Amino acid sequence: MGRAVHLALAFGLGCVDSDDRLRAVDALLVLASRGELNARALGAELAWLVAEGSLKPNRVADAARTAAVTGAYGTVWAVLEAMLPELVGAAKPVRGLGELLAVAADCAERCGARGRSPDSTWWPRRGVPRSSSSRPGGC
C-alpha cells in the first residue's frame, strides 16, 4: 500500500466521529491480516498529523485501544512504536500523549515486546528511565 492509503487510514483513525474511527479500525485490521499494512508508514503519518494538530491524540488512542482489544496487540504496538518517538521528542509537549503511551505500554506488555526499538534513543530524551521493563521493542 502506498502513502495515500496510509494517510487516509491515519485520518480515519483520528476522525471526530466514533463510527468513522471504528470503520478505520476495521480497515486497519483487514490490511494487517492481509499483510498489506506498513505499520511504520502508518505510524509516521499519524505522528505527523498529531504533531501538526490535524488529529487529536485522544481520538487516535481510542482507535488504537479498539484495535488492540480485538487481539491485534502486536499490530497496534508496531504502529505506536513508529509513531511515539517523534511525539515524545517534540520540542512542544503534545497534549494527550499520556493516553497514547498507556495504550502503547499495554500493547507492548500483551504482545511480549522485548529488546530495543530501532529508534530507542527517544526514551532518554524525555527522561524516561531505561530499566528492562521500560524498553520498547518489536513483538
Side-chain angles (χ1 to χ4, degrees), residues 6 9 16 20 39 49 56 59 61 67-68 75-76 93 115-117 122:
H6 287 92
L9 183 56
V16 173
D20 289 339
L49 292 169
K56 291 188 176 185
R59 293 180 185 143
T75 298
V76 174
R116 290 188 177 183
S117 165
W122 64 279

Side-chain angles (χ1 to χ4, degrees), residues 11-73:
F11 270 115
L13 292 170
C15 206
V16 173
D17 184 67
S18 61
D19 289 336
D20 289 339
R21 283 196 305 273
L22 189 56
R23 288 181 191 96
V25 167
D26 287 342
L28 169 83
L29 297 172
V30 167
L31 289 173
S33 71
R34 292 180 179 172
E36 297 175 356
L37 178 71
N38 181 335
R40 294 199 66 73
L42 179 57
E45 296 297 349
L46 284 165
W48 174 64
L49 292 169
V50 168
E52 73 152 9
S54 292
L55 297 181
K56 291 188 176 185
N58 64 324
R59 293 180 185 143
V60 175
D62 178 61
R65 191 178 304 106
T66 300
V69 298
T70 68
Y73 297 106

Side-chain angles (χ1 to χ4, degrees), residues 61 64-65 68 72-74 76-82 84 88 97-114 122-123 128 132-137 139:
R65 191 178 304 106
Y73 297 106
V76 174
W77 167 243
V79 171
L80 294 178
E81 181 184 28
L84 289 172
V88 170
L97 186 58
E99 200 171 339
L100 279 169
L101 288 169
V103 174
D106 183 49
C107 288
E109 181 179 1
R110 290 178 184 259
C111 77
R114 297 281 184 257
W122 64 279
W123 285 112
V128 177
S132 61
S133 62
S134 66
R135 286 187 193 149
C139 295

